[in-house]
Amino acid sequence: MVVGGCADGTPSAGWRLDATLADAGSGIPFCDEVTANVADFMSQYEGQAPPSDRYGGTAVVGNANELQGGMNGLVSSTDDSMQNQIYVNLMTLLQYDEDLNAVPYLAESWEVSDDASEITFHIRNDVYWHVGELTDVYDVAFTYERVIDPATAFPTRYLWSNWDQNPGTVEVVDSFTVRFRMTPHADYLDTWRQLPIMPEHLLGDVAPADLTEHPFGTACPVGNGPFVFVQHRQGAAWTFQANPAFPDALGGRPYVDRLVYRVIAEQTTLLAELLTGGLDVYIAPTPDQVQAILDAPDVEFLRFPTRQFNFIVWNAREPQLADKRVRQAIARGMDRQEIVDAVVQGYGILANGSVPPFHWAYDATVGEGAMSYDRDAARALLDDAGWIDRDGDGVRENVRGDRLSLSLMYHPTQQRQDMAEITQAQLGEIGIEVSPVAVDFTTLVSQLTDPTAREFDSAVMAFNVDFRIDDTGLFHSKEIDGANAWSGTNRPDIDAYLDRIPLIFDRDEARVAWSEYQALLIDEQPYTFFYFPERLIGKRARLEGVVMDARGEWLNAKDWWISADQR
């Protein structure tokens, strides 16, 4: 059924409960109970007239990626999932405004001690979980305790290393006031900006190790944010309904009645759906699709800088890649500008490290020589490392006769395939045999993040950094078995910088340290960095009020609206 609107698209008399939610019955006891409670709580709002004619309609977003981990913010690691958690279904304590200043959200205020060793949050007393329970600081304390518990395997636990993790460290002052202790460090609020608060009354009895497989994440999530979960069809779609109980002080219920996230693997299909009206937003069209978007009536093209970098990760745990000279040779043997030109057609900037160009710590001069394209230098590095074409077949071997032959996994989008195939061709010129292997997204993520399944050579990947950049989980030896330690990097000098940089408050001092650290990273070459892409978006003109920037695509989804005559 159409929520909040009649079958012909005209505005309805008032808010109505989505029939899919009201009639849901998964057969999973936990889901049956919480779904019934959500339906019961939301049913009290049926018939409420919308405040203005701006309310109503369904906004449909299309993307190639499933929301891995769903709405369970304690187990998911992909950017698409995290954005839908913090902007759509759940809430964080704070958000960033357009100038990247922290502003209240679930927390209405906070104070920091003079020595920056304590922070006290005062949370709102009018935010309800979608089952009707009031959100309180016990939910905040529970979320934090699960984050720092190793058994949870929280993907970015390393970001919390400067927060007090001793038992009983959280001080609950009252139901809406909570205090945390920390080692003074820079940009400490950013961890709270990206952490969705989870419901203690629903998950408190779940063992941390069982959270990954719990049905809460993908079968029956319960949030407290502007949109209520309605339905998930694996590999096909997620459906959310406007939350009529969302506090008026935070904008009240969203304008659109429903928000649908469609999973469409083929980018040609995504484009066709946008152009024919099946989608309102197409996330990340390929550069060669931009002209079709520009030429289409009633379709708009958006672009903005992202926090993402694209690269190939090399697994140094594998014998053929254990010597950094091999990885250095790969970097010198690749014409990365050719990849930027071919794959993103100008919608990106060549990358030499993990700090994006818009960030205050970015240094455009780092790696200018060490990363320059030079096949002779690449061949010399491979010779020096003992990899020589001993039988004249064009592929190098070591002294034992092992071939320098690597598999390269990629998620089969056109851009990733192009990167893999260009890499294959370019490295073939210096005697490295590369075999691209298309792998579905779920399997690829599992291969990289599961420390027991890391039997791979390399993979074409993208990674989104935070505004408080911290590469600890990627490259620090203490995190070598962590979810993001794909490369197996283990260097004491890199560890020392990763330990020191977060503690530097002065940005001028920190900027110098960042440049020195990036130089070490270039020497190590855990990744071959390709480029920082711009985010490209196709959007139908009927969807208004859309704001997208480096903070994300869904950051103001609750403010999107559709004119009545366009629904």
Side-chain angles (χ1 to χ4, degrees):
M1 67 181 286
V2 178
V3 181
C6 300
D8 61 2
T10 59
S12 70
W15 190 93
R16 284 191 286 170
L17 184 69
D18 190 289
T20 308
L21 172 60
D23 299 337
S26 66
I28 302 171
F30 175 87
C31 290
D32 288 341
E33 181 178 353
V34 299
T35 300
N37 290 338
V38 172
D40 182 61
F41 179 62
M42 292 296 159
S43 65
Q44 67 183 291
Y45 296 94
E46 286 196 283
Q48 286 190 357
S52 74
D53 61 3
R54 182 171 285 194
Y55 292 79
T58 298
V60 183
V61 179
N63 197 357
N65 301 327
E66 176 61 271
L67 301 180
Q68 298 295 321
M71 296 301 103
N72 189 340
L74 295 172
V75 304
S76 59
S77 59
T78 66
D79 186 61
D80 295 315
S81 298
M82 293 173 65
Q83 283 200 51
N84 277 272
Q85 291 161 15
I86 68 177
Y87 296 129
V88 175
N89 185 240
L90 292 156
M91 295 181 69
T92 53
L93 291 183
L94 55 96
Q95 294 186 334
Y96 281 174
D97 64 15
E98 62 273 14
D99 297 318
L100 304 184
N101 296 313
V103 294
Y105 194 34
L106 178 58
E108 59 184 357
S109 65
W110 54 85
E111 301 100 36
V112 180
S113 62
D114 291 340
D115 62 356
S117 66
E118 291 185 347
I119 185 167
T120 303
F121 290 105
H122 306 276
I123 76 164
R124 305 185 62 86
N125 63 1
D126 57 356
V127 174
Y128 288 85
W129 294 103
H130 300 154
V131 291
E133 294 283 337
L134 196 61
T135 305
D136 57 28
V137 297
Y138 296 101
D139 298 309
V140 180
F142 162 75
T143 303
Y144 177 80
E145 288 165 354
R146 287 296 180 269
V147 163
I148 64 174
D149 189 331
T152 304
F154 183 65
T156 54
R157 179 172 172 259
Y158 62 89
L159 295 176
W160 297 84
S161 60
N162 289 308
W163 293 82
D164 190 344
Q165 301 187 13
N166 293 314
T169 184
V170 181
E171 181 183 349
V172 174
V173 179
D174 57 46
S175 294
F176 299 99
T177 307
V178 63
R179 184 172 296 123
F180 298 91
R181 294 174 180 83
M182 58 183 167
T183 300
H185 60 285
D187 301 320
Y188 47 81
L189 286 176
D190 196 59
T191 46
W192 295 103
R193 172 199 62 84
Q194 59 185 299
L195 179 68
I197 302 305
M198 305 297 290
E200 184 272 340
H201 70 284
L202 294 178
L203 297 175
D205 293 333
V206 179
D210 294 338
L211 285 167
T212 299
E213 302 300 327
H214 196 274
F216 176 95
T218 58
C220 52
V222 176
N224 58 356
F227 288 92
V228 180
F229 169 80
V230 171
Q231 185 185 53
H232 172 218
R233 291 181 291 123
Q234 179 67 32
W238 289 76
T239 302
F240 300 92
Q241 179 177 11
N243 175 13
F246 200 63
D248 289 340
L250 296 176
R253 62 147 286 184
Y255 290 131
V256 295
D257 289 327
R258 284 201 303 182
L259 181 64
V260 178
Y261 178 98
R262 292 182 60 192
V263 182
I264 302 173
E266 292 293 331
Q267 291 188 282
T268 53
T269 306
L270 279 162
L271 178 62
E273 287 288 299
L274 175 72
L275 300 183
T276 57
L279 298 177
D280 290 297
V281 178
Y282 170 12
I283 300 291
T286 59
D288 60 3
Q289 294 176 328
V290 169
Q291 193 59 50
I293 293 172
L294 291 170
D295 293 342
D298 302 319
V299 178
E300 300 171 354
F301 172 61
L302 309 178
R303 57 190 287 196
F304 54 90
T306 70
R307 293 176 286 115
Q308 182 185 98
F309 57 88
N310 286 256
F311 60 98
I312 291 179
V313 54
W314 307 104
N315 186 2
R317 302 171 183 87
E318 296 298 308
Q320 292 161 304
L321 292 162
D323 190 329
K324 72 177 183 181
R325 290 172 294 184
V326 173
R327 304 190 300 273
Q328 291 171 346
I330 289 170
R332 300 301 299 274
M334 295 193 67
D335 185 347
R336 296 178 301 125
Q337 189 61 54
E338 178 186 340
I339 292 176
V340 176
D341 295 341
V343 175
V344 293
Q345 299 176 22
Y347 296 110
I349 297 174
L350 197 67
N352 286 344
S354 58
V355 180
F358 70 82
H359 196 272
W360 59 266
Y362 179 68
D363 183 351
T365 66
V366 170
E368 285 181 330
M371 291 288 287
S372 61
Y373 173 49
D374 186 337
R375 283 183 175 165
D376 289 337
R379 293 184 179 104
L381 282 163
L382 291 171
D383 289 345
D384 190 47
W387 291 97
I388 300 167
D389 183 6
R390 301 172 191 275
D391 56 12
D393 67 349
V395 179
R396 293 171 180 264
E397 296 88 19
N398 62 14
V399 69
R400 295 189 302 272
D402 301 323
R403 292 164 64 86
L404 189 48
S405 179
L406 307 171
S407 64
L408 176 59
M409 299 188 300
Y410 67 93
H411 173 48
T413 65
Q414 189 60 56
Q415 286 189 18
R416 300 291 172 86
Q417 180 177 332
D418 290 346
M419 281 188 270
E421 291 176 350
I422 294 172
T423 298
Q424 178 186 38
Q426 291 189 353
L427 294 187
E429 294 293 322
I430 60 171
I432 301 176
E433 182 178 58
V434 174
S435 301
V437 180
V439 181
D440 72 86
F441 187 67
T442 301
T443 302
L444 179 61
V445 170
S446 176
Q447 281 267 287
L448 268 65
T449 60
D450 183 352
T452 66
R454 285 182 171 144
E455 296 180 359
F456 71 95
D457 295 330
S458 60
V460 181
M461 291 298 294
F463 194 85
N464 284 353
V465 299
D466 300 302
F467 290 104
R468 174 186 177 268
I469 301 176
D470 187 340
D471 287 351
T472 298
L474 281 61
F475 306 126
H476 200 296
S477 62
K478 70 182 180 183
E479 295 290 335
I480 200 163
D481 291 324
N484 294 325
W486 307 332
S487 64
T489 300
N490 188 350
R491 275 186 59 163
D493 51 356
I494 286 179
D495 290 350
Y497 273 93
L498 292 174
D499 289 336
R500 183 166 72 89
I501 288 174
L503 305 181
I504 303 174
F505 279 82
D506 181 83
R507 286 195 169 178
D508 289 336
E509 180 184 351
R511 191 175 289 110
V512 173
W514 269 110
S515 295
E516 293 170 348
Y517 159 71
Q518 294 279 302
L520 291 178
L521 200 62
I522 288 168
D523 178 68
E524 179 65 13
Q525 285 297 314
Y527 302 162
T528 295
F529 293 93
F530 286 152
Y531 58 88
F532 301 103
E534 286 188 288
R535 186 58 123 186
L536 310 182
I537 302 289
K539 182 189 77 69
R540 294 198 68 82
R542 78 170 196 136
L543 186 64
E544 303 187 59
V546 175
V547 175
M548 298 181 178
D549 57 34
R551 292 170 291 171
E553 293 86 7
W554 283 270
L555 71 94
N556 81 324
K558 67 182 179 63
D559 300 322
W560 298 353
W561 61 281
I562 304 168
S563 297
D565 61 352
Q566 294 292 317
R567 293 173 198 155

